[in-house]
Amino acid sequence: MGAERQQVYWIVFPLVIFGLFSDAKAAATSADNAELRQIFDADQKDRESPLGKALDWKTIGPRDAARRKRVRELIDEGRLSTGKDYERAAFVFQHGEGSDDILLAHVLAVTATGKGDMDARWIAAATLDRFLQRVGQPQIFGTQFSFKTENGRETWTMEPYNRSLIGPNLRDANCVPGQEHQTETLNALGKGEEPQAPKKQPCVEPPKH
């Protein structure tokens, strides 16, 4: 008898676990799009849940779709101007259903960095990883953790994952925690524990005197 069809559920972690120490929720400036900030905040709030507690995707899914629709309208109307605007739009689209949504999220994140928002480096790496896995290719940075059920067994995985392409320096440059911390995170998830922030925090600038 063939293997049971694999089901994969993408996990959404609080931003700090992924090393977003620059924080996409930074204080808004007068130039940022206020409506987009509200959309981003709602997107994140829908994903606030303790580890192990299932989210209500039947409710969240339609709200996600409505948010993506409105953000696309804002993009087409030329209402995004700051790097932070593009970063927040990237977070909204990375929660899309299809690979095109994830690819657009990556383009938005890269645009954010091009506009000087260096906080967007992590989401640029994460959207590339997610897009690669969506189209059946290995992630390369190591930002994606998924929960799958196969043959009646539930496990956490980062696969498929090409661990040799991106070295420590490139991970650091893109605000992605190293492979040692990734393994610690995977082990914690397997035990049903909340992952800890990495001991070495990438992209944290030393204080200015």
Side-chain angles (χ1 to χ4, degrees):
M1 200 171 169
E4 178 183 341
R5 181 182 177 185
Q6 181 181 12
Q7 292 181 314
V8 175
Y9 302 87
W10 296 100
I11 187 69
V12 181
F13 291 107
L15 301 183
V16 68
I17 292 176
F18 282 133
L20 280 184
F21 305 103
S22 50
D23 195 354
K25 295 183 178 181
T29 69
S30 59
D32 294 341
N33 185 294
E35 181 183 359
L36 183 54
R37 169 64 186 265
Q38 293 175 348
I39 293 171
F40 168 81
D41 287 346
D43 172 89
Q44 294 296 300
K45 186 174 180 58
D46 266 347
R47 287 161 170 80
E48 292 176 358
S49 175
L51 183 66
K53 183 178 180 181
L55 296 171
D56 183 5
W57 292 112
K58 289 184 179 180
T59 300
I60 296 173
R63 291 204 289 249
D64 279 349
R67 284 189 284 260
R68 291 194 302 274
K69 180 176 182 294
R70 180 55 184 152
V71 172
R72 189 60 186 253
E73 290 171 351
L74 293 173
I75 294 169
D76 291 344
E77 293 167 5
R79 303 273 296 279
L80 277 61
S81 57
T82 68
K84 191 61 65 180
D85 286 343
Y86 284 93
E87 182 187 7
R88 290 170 178 147
F91 272 96
V92 172
F93 269 93
Q94 77 148 345
H95 295 145
E97 296 177 353
S99 58
D100 280 356
D101 286 335
I102 313 304
L103 185 57
L104 177 56
H106 180 65
V107 171
L108 291 165
V110 171
T111 304
T113 63
K115 285 183 167 288
D117 180 12
M118 301 311 290
D119 293 359
R121 284 174 289 175
W122 181 87
I123 188 62
T127 50
L128 177 57
D129 273 352
R130 185 166 294 193
F131 174 75
L132 287 169
Q133 287 196 336
R134 284 287 178 91
V135 297
Q137 297 298 312
Q139 64 171 318
I140 58 175
F141 282 100
T143 62
Q144 303 299 297
F145 298 79
S146 60
F147 179 76
K148 69 178 182 179
T149 301
E150 188 174 19
N151 295 328
R153 184 182 177 188
E154 299 176 343
T155 59
W156 283 95
T157 184
M158 298 178 72
E159 302 304 328
Y161 181 10
N162 179 352
R163 290 171 171 79
S164 63
L165 183 64
I166 300 295
N169 291 335
L170 273 176
R171 282 194 179 84
D172 281 350
N174 287 277
C175 308
V176 177
Q179 289 187 350
E180 181 179 353
H181 179 260
Q182 293 170 14
T183 299
E184 291 172 356
T185 297
L186 194 62
N187 290 338
L189 292 170
K191 297 174 183 177
E193 300 172 355
E194 291 284 352
Q196 300 298 309
K199 300 178 182 68
K200 180 184 177 183
Q201 300 182 354
C203 294
V204 175
E205 299 295 332
K208 294 180 180 179
H209 298 289

